[in-house]
Amino acid sequence: MASIEARNLCKTYESSDGNVIALQDVSLKVTDSEFVSILGPSGCGKSTLLRIVDGLANADSGEVLMDGKPIERPTQERGFVFQSFNLFPWRTVRGNIEFGMEIKGASKSERKSVSQRLIELVGLQGFERKYPYELSGGMQQRVGIARALAIDPAVLLMDEPFGALDAQTREDMQDELLRIWAAARKTVLFVTHSIEEAIYLSDRVMIMTPRPGRILAVLDIPFARPRSESHRTLPEFSALRHDIHSRLKAVR
Ligand code: ADP
């Protein structure tokens, strides 16, 4: 079981051209095994929010709880997936995936069996010994996801993980992620600025607006699972996309 709750988070950055209110009174709840997206334009505070939820950054006020206990720093209960992949260039695919388990002190045989299972889960069989520079962007992000899953976190925090990929790879990776999520049963908090991506993936979408960063609305996504390409062409999907687009436009 893993739930996340943020209560009344506020965060202001000081900069040479004045203060930026990155988050103003932001609260959210993500329940066990739920897939929730934080959607909003660039600069609205999504990354800041996700980093605070992981404990990578501190809020000025408010609190974040995982299963009712305060989050104070990053721990292996949460896996973080970055937009820029952040792989270790000197490590192979397998070496990258096993990194967190090495830190944890897992034995070589345990590391190997977990990394093998994850390599199969993310579809990288045959690439175990390759280095990141030998992989496409989509493959690198599969490694990023497998690396985050390797420590068996209850929660996956994903910061625009597909933002650097071309449109077709991005859609393929969305399907891959849903398949992995269904198999691994993690609680997911997913940051994106793509309306379509948020709708396609999520149980709920939290819409954020900038300056100050606030939650504008939280929408339930009614489509059945498993999701597939046909959902994207449903009139209800277009209506939802249009609704979110109008809401974001109204506050721009
Ligand atoms: P998003 O992820 O939605 O693009 P961010 O959380 O990265 O938004 O940023 C929110 C706002 O805070 C932006 O206006 C950004 O310029 C500002 N900001 C983010 N990090 C810093 C920082 N370290 N110092 C100053 N301003 C920052």
Side-chain angles (χ1 to χ4, degrees):
M1 292 286 283
S3 63
I4 294 281
E5 183 173 2
R7 291 187 188 148
N8 310 105
L9 296 178
C10 296
K11 176 80 175 179
T12 299
Y13 292 110
E14 287 168 20
S15 75
S16 49
D17 23 304
N19 289 351
V20 177
I21 304 175
L23 300 177
Q24 188 177 64
D25 204 23
V26 168
S27 298
L28 65 89
K29 276 186 186 173
V30 188
T31 60
D32 185 49
S33 304
E34 196 179 19
F35 197 123
V36 173
S37 288
I38 303 167
L39 169 71
S42 189
C44 73
K46 305 182 296 296
S47 284
T48 300
L49 175 57
L50 202 69
R51 290 167 59 81
I52 291 172
V53 167
D54 195 35
L56 278 164
N58 293 319
D60 298 332
S61 61
E63 60 179 352
V64 189
L65 307 169
M66 179 165 167
D67 296 332
K69 289 189 244 79
I71 291 174
E72 280 151 5
R73 58 180 186 282
T75 71
Q76 299 211 331
E77 294 167 304
R78 293 174 298 282
F80 205 99
V81 180
F82 299 87
Q83 173 173 4
S84 51
F85 318 140
N86 277 17
L87 303 179
F88 302 116
W90 60 87
R91 284 182 165 241
T92 62
V93 165
R94 188 186 291 286
N96 266 282
I97 295 172
E98 291 186 6
F99 178 75
M101 286 184 284
E102 281 175 36
I103 301 284
K104 230 169 146 178
S107 69
K108 200 171 171 184
S109 62
E110 186 189 348
R111 293 198 314 256
K112 184 148 193 211
S113 85
V114 170
S115 63
Q116 194 52 43
R117 183 176 56 75
L118 288 170
I119 282 165
E120 282 163 28
L121 183 69
V122 301
L124 283 173
Q125 301 96 313
F127 293 89
E128 294 85 341
R129 290 163 193 273
K130 301 279 186 205
Y131 287 87
Y133 74 89
E134 299 176 281
L135 306 175
S136 67
M139 291 165 96
Q140 289 186 58
Q141 195 53 292
R142 285 166 201 260
V143 180
I145 294 169
R147 184 179 59 179
L149 289 172
I151 52 170
D152 197 23
V155 173
L156 214 46
L157 303 173
M158 310 186 79
D159 192 1
E160 302 230 22
F162 308 144
L165 306 178
D166 64 81
Q168 186 56 53
T169 308
R170 187 171 185 150
E171 290 196 1
D172 292 345
M173 288 298 295
Q174 290 166 1
D175 286 327
E176 281 295 298
L177 176 62
L178 287 182
R179 191 181 56 72
I180 293 165
W181 172 68
R185 307 210 125 267
K186 303 293 177 191
T187 303
V188 178
L189 192 53
F190 185 99
V191 161
T192 181
H193 66 255
S194 159
I195 297 174
E196 167 133 4
E197 181 167 80
I199 298 172
Y200 186 66
L201 295 175
S202 312
D203 295 317
R204 285 189 299 139
V205 175
M206 299 179 19
I207 306 172
M208 277 190 79
T209 57
R211 285 177 290 279
R214 288 184 306 110
I215 308 276
L216 177 69
V218 183
L219 303 182
D220 287 317
I221 307 300
F223 307 120
R225 296 194 186 269
R227 305 248 164 104
S228 64
E229 275 312 300
S230 58
H231 284 104
R232 295 187 200 268
T233 53
L234 290 174
E236 296 88 340
F237 195 103
S238 306
L240 209 43
R241 189 171 45 204
H242 186 71
D243 174 31
I244 295 175
H245 188 258
S246 313
R247 285 174 195 248
L248 284 170
K249 212 168 163 190
V251 293
R252 205 163 50 196

